[in-house]
Amino acid sequence: MSNPPGHTHSTETQRFKRQDVLSEKCGATNFTAAEEARRVAVISRDLCSAAERCVSYEEFKDLKKSNIVHIDVRERWEIDRFGKIPESINIPLSELAEALQMSPADFEEQYRQKMPAKSDHMVFSCLAGVRSKQALGFAMALGFSRVQHYAGGFEEWAKREPPEQKRR
């Protein structure tokens, strides 16, 4: 089933999201294993609907060897509690739009990193791809041209690589 141009979510994804909301509100989780697998596959497909903007684990791992700016948009408490993907900058999604418009000096003071240029290659990540896709939209709207997101997020990374823990 293909979506009309400009649509980011299929009808099927919208149905699954409604089911998720109902499940959360009612405590109902009566999906069969096959339904759950199909639901995750559909949502993942839609998170990566713009294929050139979404990177797989393997692509992300290769990109991390090059000169990319990796921004993790999870909340600080998530980083503190679960760790982070090495060499990432933590900018919570709620701060991202403002952070990307700061002066370079203010950005460096706040995040202890050099401010990314609009032409820098940036990859956003979060826990499982939802917030990183929103971050991608914010950055594109602000004129950043070489932006992608890692839809597998920290959840997928931590299954394959040891996360970096906060130094105490």
Side-chain angles (χ1 to χ4, degrees):
M1 170 196 314
S2 71
N3 294 327
H7 272 247
T8 57
H9 297 290
S10 67
T11 305
E12 196 171 25
T13 300
Q14 291 168 350
R15 181 173 59 85
F16 287 136
K17 285 183 179 182
R18 283 193 301 272
Q19 287 175 340
D20 287 346
V21 169
L22 288 173
S23 294
E24 285 177 24
K25 289 185 180 190
C26 303
T29 55
N30 57 352
F31 297 120
T32 66
E35 288 171 328
E36 181 66 13
R38 185 167 169 246
R39 177 179 124 351
V40 169
V42 168
I43 291 171
S44 294
R45 179 197 68 215
D46 283 349
L47 284 173
C48 290
S49 60
E52 73 281 357
R53 298 282 186 195
C54 182
V55 296
S56 68
Y57 164 78
E58 290 80 12
E59 292 167 323
F60 183 54
K61 191 168 179 173
D62 285 344
L63 284 170
K64 289 199 62 70
K65 295 174 188 170
S66 66
N67 194 24
I68 65 159
V69 177
H70 171 208
I71 298 177
D72 185 331
V73 296
R74 291 179 297 150
E75 295 297 322
R76 286 183 182 87
W77 70 264
E78 292 175 272
I79 303 291
D80 291 345
R81 185 168 183 190
F82 303 112
K84 68 177 198 159
I85 297 172
E87 299 164 13
S88 60
I89 304 168
N90 177 230
I91 305 175
L93 184 63
S94 60
E95 298 174 19
L96 185 67
E98 182 180 339
L100 294 177
Q101 298 177 78
M102 287 179 165
S103 72
D106 288 346
F107 185 93
E108 193 164 345
E109 182 180 325
Q110 176 79 25
Y111 299 105
R112 298 185 200 129
Q113 300 284 332
K114 182 181 169 229
M115 170 85 176
K118 292 199 179 201
S119 61
D120 284 347
H121 189 174
M122 289 194 297
V123 178
F124 295 100
S125 70
C126 61
L127 180 64
V130 175
R131 289 174 284 180
S132 63
K133 187 170 183 182
Q134 289 178 300
L136 177 71
F138 290 158
M140 290 171 58
L142 291 170
F144 289 84
S145 58
R146 297 180 61 210
V147 292
Q148 295 177 294
H149 85 108
Y150 171 42
F154 181 78
E155 197 169 57
E156 180 180 37
W157 183 271
K159 289 177 185 172
R160 299 173 182 235
E161 304 280 338
E164 184 178 289
Q165 297 298 321
K166 184 177 180 181
R167 292 185 179 108
R168 299 200 186 269

